[in-house]
Amino acid sequence: MDDIEADVFPEDERTNWELLKNPINLHFYKNDKGVHTEIFFLKSNRKCLKRIRDAMLLHNWQEAAVYYNSYIQALEARNSIKVHPMASEITWRIGTEILHHLPNATAEDFNAVYEQLKNNGVKNFPKICLEHCFHLLLNGQMEEAKRQLSIGESWRYGNFSIAQGDTKKIIRGYCGFLDYLKWCEKKSSTAGTDEASRNHEMHSYFRYASVTLKDIISQPGVWDPFVLSYINMLEFYDDEDGALQILKNYAYNKEFPTNPNAHVYLYQFLKRHNAPDAKLISSLRILHSLVPSHELMLDLCSLLLSNNHMSDIEEALTVSMDLLEFSSWKCDMKAWSCLQNIIKLLKQKKRKEVVLKEWHARRSLWFSFHFRIPLARIDMLENVNLLQIKSDVLKLLGEHFLEYRRYAQNLKRISESKTDECKFRDGMKKRRKEKIEEEEKKMETKKSK
């Protein structure tokens, strides 16, 4: 594509699809036999991709669209030339990105481009169908989205279709998910009536969705949206045992990849159905081993403290200190208050040595992470309460870091002096008011005489 026209393209009244449909002129290089040479193909692709990249970086989307179609034209001349396996995916990714940014793009433009991409990228046919489905769903075209998924699921192309096993599995899962969305529509349309549980059409969508989703989530993988959809339907029909069995298999099956969300879903289900604390704690302990910074660790601390067993309280201390070692929690008041309460409770139960043992293992890290003087200055300006509670924790841990604690003490003195000053001013105002009232009474008595 050495002879690509490099002139600036005039803006006219052409539609976005016409911009993609009409490529700029190309001069094809051929050998003596009239066949396009590999040198032509490599040069044209390299130059055209550079033009596309430059136009996209400058957000010249219409110009990028014209060069993009020139790139498509070059790929169509690949009959006797080996094409890099990534070429079709590059075509797909660039094309959709350009189309999403073209002004006034219509649904017809998207459908036309997706159909063109499917023909050019055989290996990516199912993936393009899936992406096309997502686009249709965003525009509320559920029936057409289901049709695209069916096309992608039934696609066959020699050995290529065998290599697309995982993609086909995901497509099948989304087929069940769309049936679930239809079930949700029917449920909401009959909400608040006795007809909801007896609606025949609603039951039909439940059967379609449950058969597909149950088959997908029984296979090893991460199927979070499909699991939640299936559990929602089972809970609606009061099949708690079936839902619990699904969640346990999803969380505890060793053949499945490690997935913290599986334990979150199990805990939330158990909590909704008022399960004993022991089961709740068991599910959160596993979550703690996987994600010690998860927000549900505060729930785990509360559950452990409610048991009032010494071992559980000691475990709560470890959990709360683990939580505060992550930057996302270092300024959280709830986490610091939780730690403060646990330390106080352990000291009341004469288990100070447990606190000190846990503290000495983390002391060097915590002083550099939580108790530096610059942090105290920031807290003094932005979060006085946090500075105070961190100072109290230091005191409970037996640390006499006076330079840090002095900031909190100074704030306390300032607040006390302000309180005293306010009390003094209030007293002065009261005395003045009383004096004025006495003088008024004297004047009234003189007038009466």
Side-chain angles (χ1 to χ4, degrees):
M1 205 170 296
D2 292 327
D3 295 279
I4 290 181
E5 295 178 356
D7 299 331
V8 178
F9 299 96
E11 292 188 4
D12 51 22
E13 297 182 353
R14 290 180 294 172
T15 64
N16 295 319
W17 172 237
E18 286 174 336
L19 284 170
L20 288 171
K21 191 176 179 182
N22 299 320
I24 57 180
N25 296 327
L26 298 172
H27 295 282
F28 297 103
Y29 293 96
K30 301 179 181 180
N31 58 16
D32 297 336
K33 297 180 180 179
V35 179
H36 296 302
T37 64
E38 188 171 355
I39 293 175
F40 153 74
F41 186 76
L42 294 174
K43 283 186 176 182
S44 61
N45 271 300
R46 199 174 294 123
K47 194 163 188 176
C48 195
L49 282 173
K50 184 180 182 300
R51 297 282 179 88
I52 293 171
R53 182 199 63 189
D54 294 343
M56 291 175 73
L57 288 173
L58 295 172
H59 293 186
N60 295 331
W61 300 108
Q62 291 185 338
E63 183 179 338
V66 178
Y67 280 124
Y68 168 74
N69 219 340
S70 297
Y71 182 70
I72 291 285
Q73 190 186 59
L75 288 181
E76 289 175 349
R78 68 186 188 275
N79 294 332
S80 60
I81 302 171
K82 292 183 179 180
V83 182
H84 194 278
M86 289 295 293
S88 58
E89 185 160 357
I90 290 171
T91 309
W92 163 33
R93 299 298 182 189
I94 291 176
T96 52
E97 186 70 17
I98 292 172
L99 192 57
H100 276 290
H101 286 88
L102 279 175
N104 305 319
T106 64
E108 289 73 18
D109 295 334
F110 278 94
N111 292 335
V113 169
Y114 275 118
E115 292 303 325
Q116 184 185 26
L117 291 172
K118 290 173 191 175
N119 294 327
N120 288 334
V122 175
K123 291 183 179 180
N124 295 308
F125 189 94
K127 292 181 182 178
I128 296 172
C129 287
L130 186 59
E131 186 175 294
H132 194 185
C133 164
F134 292 153
H135 173 75
L136 292 168
L137 284 175
L138 289 173
N139 290 276
Q141 298 176 274
M142 192 175 293
E143 294 298 333
E144 182 61 23
K146 185 69 181 290
R147 190 180 75 84
Q148 288 296 328
L149 287 179
S150 300
I151 292 172
E153 187 180 10
S154 60
W155 176 79
R156 299 289 184 276
Y157 194 83
N159 293 331
F160 287 131
S161 57
I162 299 173
Q164 299 286 341
D166 291 339
T167 305
K168 292 287 191 70
K169 197 183 295 183
I170 294 172
I171 289 175
R172 179 165 167 74
Y174 274 104
C175 286
F177 186 72
L178 290 189
D179 288 328
Y180 163 75
L181 293 179
K182 280 286 188 182
W183 177 84
C184 289
E185 282 186 358
K186 298 299 178 183
K187 185 181 76 166
S188 61
S189 64
T190 56
T193 65
D194 294 336
E195 186 185 357
S197 59
R198 300 193 300 270
N199 188 289
H200 178 71
E201 193 174 3
M202 184 175 163
H203 273 287
S204 298
Y205 283 116
F206 166 71
R207 287 194 296 272
Y208 298 149
S210 60
V211 169
T212 305
L213 293 177
K214 187 176 181 179
D215 177 53
I216 290 297
I217 65 180
S218 63
Q219 304 174 48
V222 178
W223 311 113
D224 290 357
F226 306 147
V227 169
L228 290 177
S229 305
Y230 191 40
I231 295 302
N232 187 23
M233 291 190 295
L234 292 177
E235 284 188 282
F236 179 81
Y237 292 108
D238 297 324
D239 188 3
E240 294 180 12
D241 294 336
L244 181 59
Q245 187 61 38
I246 292 292
L247 287 171
K248 282 184 175 179
N249 182 66
Y250 192 52
Y252 299 138
N253 194 327
K254 293 181 179 180
E255 295 181 1
F256 280 59
T258 303
N259 181 8
N261 286 341
H263 302 281
V264 173
Y265 302 150
L266 178 59
Y267 167 75
Q268 291 171 341
F269 177 85
L270 293 171
K271 190 176 180 180
R272 281 198 303 271
H273 296 279
N274 302 315
D277 287 354
K279 290 186 177 180
L280 297 175
I281 291 172
S282 177
S283 63
L284 289 180
R285 275 175 176 156
I286 299 175
L287 181 61
H288 174 255
S289 66
L290 298 174
V291 189
S293 62
H294 199 281
E295 59 184 3
L296 288 177
M297 293 306 101
L298 289 176
D299 286 20
L300 177 56
C301 289
S302 299
L303 289 167
L304 291 169
L305 293 175
S306 65
N307 282 346
N308 207 26
H309 296 152
M310 190 54 61
S311 59
D312 290 339
I313 299 172
E314 293 173 8
E315 184 181 352
L317 175 67
T318 303
V319 171
S320 63
M321 295 188 85
D322 285 344
L323 193 64
L324 285 166
E325 289 182 356
F326 290 87
S327 58
S328 56
W329 288 96
K330 66 184 297 186
C331 296
D332 190 88
M333 286 294 294
K334 289 182 180 179
W336 281 102
S337 298
C338 178
L339 176 61
Q340 184 184 36
N341 294 331
I342 293 170
I343 294 174
K344 286 180 178 178
L345 185 58
L346 285 169
K347 284 198 166 187
Q348 288 174 6
K349 294 182 176 293
K350 311 297 182 184
R351 297 305 299 270
K352 184 178 178 180
E353 71 281 358
V354 175
V355 177
L356 293 177
K357 181 181 178 182
E358 195 72 38
W359 166 243
H360 287 309
R362 307 170 187 258
R363 189 175 184 276
S364 59
L365 171 64
W366 278 53
F367 266 109
S368 61
F369 192 59
H370 291 302
F371 301 118
R372 288 184 292 116
I373 299 304
L375 293 176
R377 291 171 184 157
I378 293 171
D379 292 338
M380 190 174 183
L381 296 172
E382 298 180 357
N383 196 338
V384 176
N385 294 329
L386 178 62
L387 176 62
Q388 188 62 55
I389 196 170
K390 287 168 70 174
S391 177
D392 292 341
V393 168
L394 263 183
K395 186 177 179 181
L396 288 169
L397 292 170
E399 292 291 342
H400 302 287
F401 188 18
L402 297 179
E403 192 176 357
Y404 181 89
R405 291 174 56 190
R406 191 178 295 121
Y407 285 91
Q409 291 167 359
N410 289 339
L411 282 174
K412 191 174 181 181
R413 290 195 196 102
I414 292 169
S415 61
E416 288 175 353
S417 63
K418 285 182 178 179
T419 304
D420 294 339
E421 187 178 349
C422 290
K423 287 179 181 178
F424 177 74
R425 288 177 179 174
D426 292 340
M428 289 292 290
K429 287 179 182 179
K430 188 177 181 181
R431 283 193 291 273
R432 285 174 189 168
K433 188 177 181 181
E434 290 174 352
K435 192 173 181 180
I436 292 169
E437 289 175 353
E438 286 177 2
E439 290 178 355
E440 288 177 351
K441 285 180 181 179
K442 287 179 182 179
M443 292 292 290
E444 288 177 0
T445 52
K446 284 181 181 180
K447 286 179 182 180
S448 61
K449 288 180 180 180

